[in-house]
């Protein structure tokens, strides 16, 4: 870019009008929403007594002493969490940077690692947030494929092909949203590329088929790995807005000081939630375990119901709380989604996540279990009626 060129503004020229599915949703009534991932809408409320007790220390000793990496007590609690993971990842408090959210953490890392015109490799099936953050930083997201036949594992050839001299990092989501794939072992191509890894692990507290979700920094100690997580998913506390970046030794040695300067520029994380964090970790484990068990039972139930429909191919995820089933016989995901909405159930089509091979839908199993059951039953009934109508007309 030369001095006479003008960089378009964020989302400049983007069509932000409601799409056909959103217009139909707004005009509909009485549907069951199988897209909801907001725990506070689904009866998952972190214990009030724990929050009240945890906040007491702040109100009785209120004082603002900002630390560019976050309060040491909060960072120590986060480091202890990684020491208890399987396998353990040994970190000290200085290897943690507290942020207001994982979205902010992404933004900080894009600012840290890239310049405008650089690129980051990201899974082809991608939560839309990443695209907006990349546009805001004027960088390119280059999609690498996930192999559906191998349980949505990273496609090494695709990852290698997408990298070039302007590639600055690889984005990994484990458990992946929405496929649920967990990066549980080393992928040789990641080591060969020798790039920093940004690992989004916000669903790590919810293994399903996988026994555990390993911290990627423990799998790749020789590479700079930034782990992104927070209390929104783990403790069902999206309203308290606290996230973090955990740097393994290689990431801390190369980037720790510069990341501290970036975080110090904003100091977005509020002191109240940081003060509460040690107590949330200490007293919130039983709540997270109960939420994990509810999600597990919901996934069991949803998979059993979906497996009874001939045109649905559903695979058990390694982790997370989403299902990403394929609907056989449809070639238009928008038409499929509108068909299901007419029958009283809302799902997201796969193309919302950038995947346009076959017809897939995204279902959140965080939905309240009785509502989830009725919603899945409606979905199966709608698809079965479609099959009967198709067969009778042929």
């Amino acid at each position: 870019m030369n001095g006479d060129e003008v960089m378009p503004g964020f989302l400049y020229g983007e069509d932000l009008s409601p799409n056909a599915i959103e217009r139909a949703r707004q005009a509909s009534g009485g549907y069951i929403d199988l897209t909801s991932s907001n725990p506070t809408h689904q009866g998952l409320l972190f214990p009030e007594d724990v929050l009240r007790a945890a906040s007491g220390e702040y109100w009785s000793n209120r004082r603002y002493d900002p630390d560019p990496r976050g309060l040491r007590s909060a960072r120590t609690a986060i480091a202890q969490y990684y020491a208890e993971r399987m396998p353990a990842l040994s970190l000290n408090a200085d290897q943690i940077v507290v942020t207001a959210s994982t979205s902010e953490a992404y933004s900080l890392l894009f600012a840290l690692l890239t310049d405008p015109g650089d690129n980051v490799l990201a899974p082809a099936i991608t939560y839309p947030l990443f695209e907006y953050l990349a546009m805001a930083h004027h960088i390119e997201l280059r999609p690498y494929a996930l192999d559906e036949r191998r349980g949505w594992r990273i496609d090494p050839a695709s990852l290698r092909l997408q990298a070039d001299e302007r590639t600055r990092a690889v984005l990994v989501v484990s458990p992946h949203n929405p496929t649920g794939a967990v990066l549980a072992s080393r992928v040789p191509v990641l080591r060969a590329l020798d790039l920093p890894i940004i690992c989004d692990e916000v669903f790590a507290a919810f293994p399903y088929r996988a026994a555990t979700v390993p911290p990627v920094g423990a799998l790749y100690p020789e590479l700079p790995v930034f782990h992104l997580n927070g209390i929104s998913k783990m403790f069902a506390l999206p309203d308290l807005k606290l996230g973090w970046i955990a740097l393994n030794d290689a990431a801390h040695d190369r980037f720790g000081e510069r990341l501290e300067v970036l975080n110090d520029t904003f100091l977005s994380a509020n002191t109240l939630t940081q003060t509460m964090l040690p107590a949330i970790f200490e007293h919130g484990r039983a709540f997270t375990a109960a939420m994990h068990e509810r999600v597990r039972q919901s996934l069991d139930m949803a998979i059993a119901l979906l497996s009874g429909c001939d045109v649905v191919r559903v695979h058990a995820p390694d982790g997370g709380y989403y299902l990403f089933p394929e609907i056989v016989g449809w070639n238009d995901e928008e038409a499929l989604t509108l068909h299901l909405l007419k029958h009283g159930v809302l799902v997201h089509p796969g193309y919302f996540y950038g995947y346009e091979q076959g017809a897939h839908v995204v279902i959140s199993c965080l939905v309240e279990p009785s509502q989830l059951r009725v919603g899945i039953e409606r979905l199966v009934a709608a698809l079965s009626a479609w099959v009967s109508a198709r067969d009778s007309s042929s």
Side-chain angles (χ1 to χ4, degrees), residues 111-166:
L112 174 72
L113 300 173
T114 71
D115 291 315
D118 287 340
N119 67 76
V120 171
L121 308 185
I125 310 172
T126 302
Y127 189 64
L129 166 73
F130 305 147
E131 298 176 13
Y132 295 132
L133 289 173
M135 282 191 283
H137 287 272
H138 304 293
I139 64 173
E140 178 188 5
L141 278 186
R142 289 198 165 185
Y144 63 83
L146 302 178
D147 190 340
E148 183 173 5
R149 293 171 299 177
R150 296 176 53 246
W152 302 106
R153 299 293 181 258
I154 293 173
D155 183 324
S158 174
L159 189 65
R160 187 180 296 107
L161 183 65
Q162 291 291 65
D164 66 11
E165 69 280 358
R166 298 292 304 264

Side-chain angles (χ1 to χ4, degrees), residues 146-382:
L146 302 178
D147 190 340
E148 183 173 5
R149 293 171 299 177
R150 296 176 53 246
W152 302 106
R153 299 293 181 258
I154 293 173
D155 183 324
S158 174
L159 189 65
R160 187 180 296 107
L161 183 65
Q162 291 291 65
D164 66 11
E165 69 280 358
R166 298 292 304 264
T167 304
R168 297 293 177 258
V170 180
L171 196 163
V172 173
V173 184
S174 179
H176 182 262
N177 176 12
T179 70
V182 166
L183 182 60
S185 59
R186 288 172 65 94
V187 180
V189 67
L190 284 172
R191 179 63 189 90
L193 290 175
D194 196 26
L195 291 166
I197 297 174
I198 300 171
C199 179
D200 182 328
E201 54 169 25
V202 298
F203 297 102
F206 306 99
Y208 182 65
R209 189 176 64 173
T212 62
V213 179
V216 171
L219 300 178
Y220 295 92
E222 73 280 13
L223 296 178
V225 179
F226 303 90
H227 307 82
L228 277 57
N229 208 332
I231 64 175
S232 177
K233 304 293 190 298
M234 187 187 306
F235 296 113
L237 290 170
D239 48 331
L240 293 192
K241 302 305 293 180
L242 196 77
W244 60 79
I245 306 170
L247 294 76
N248 71 346
D249 291 344
H252 181 257
D253 292 345
R254 285 181 57 183
F255 300 104
E257 291 183 359
R258 280 178 283 171
L259 183 57
E260 177 182 317
V261 172
L262 276 172
N263 206 42
D264 193 30
T265 303
F266 296 98
L267 290 176
S268 302
N270 72 85
T271 305
L272 172 59
T273 310
Q274 291 186 71
T275 303
M276 296 167 64
L277 191 61
I280 290 172
F281 267 111
E282 181 180 358
H283 301 293
R285 298 173 188 272
F287 171 80
T288 301
M291 180 167 57
H292 181 203
E293 181 57 27
R294 187 181 114 168
V295 168
R296 176 178 292 279
Q297 292 179 12
S298 290
L299 284 166
D300 287 344
M301 177 262 290
I303 290 170
L305 291 173
L306 291 168
S307 298
C309 184
D310 292 340
V311 295
V312 177
R313 293 177 182 166
V314 60
H315 303 287
D318 294 333
Y321 43 67
Y322 292 98
L323 292 175
F324 193 54
E326 180 181 9
I327 312 302
V328 180
W330 287 81
N331 56 14
D332 184 334
E333 286 182 338
E334 184 174 282
L336 168 61
T337 305
L338 293 173
H339 171 78
L340 294 175
L341 186 57
K342 288 180 180 177
H343 288 78
V345 60
L346 176 66
V347 296
H348 280 157
Y351 77 81
F352 274 15
Y353 292 75
Y355 194 65
E356 299 185 21
Q357 298 181 32
H360 294 75
V361 297
V362 179
I363 297 169
S364 168
C365 287
L366 200 68
V367 172
E368 192 279 323
S370 64
Q371 286 290 99
L372 178 66
R373 175 178 289 277
V374 175
I376 298 290
E377 288 173 346
R378 287 186 184 182
L379 183 150
V380 169

Side-chain angles (χ1 to χ4, degrees), residues 102-114:
T102 51
S103 298
E104 183 186 47
Y106 274 114
S107 188
L108 288 170
L109 291 177
F110 286 172
L112 174 72
L113 300 173
T114 71

Side-chain angles (χ1 to χ4, degrees), residues 79-117:
Q80 180 60 33
Y81 161 71
Y82 283 96
E84 296 170 359
R85 294 276 295 274
M86 294 291 291
L89 180 63
S90 179
L91 307 174
N92 62 53
D94 288 340
Q95 292 173 259
I96 309 296
V97 173
V98 180
T99 64
S101 65
T102 51
S103 298
E104 183 186 47
Y106 274 114
S107 188
L108 288 170
L109 291 177
F110 286 172
L112 174 72
L113 300 173
T114 71
D115 291 315

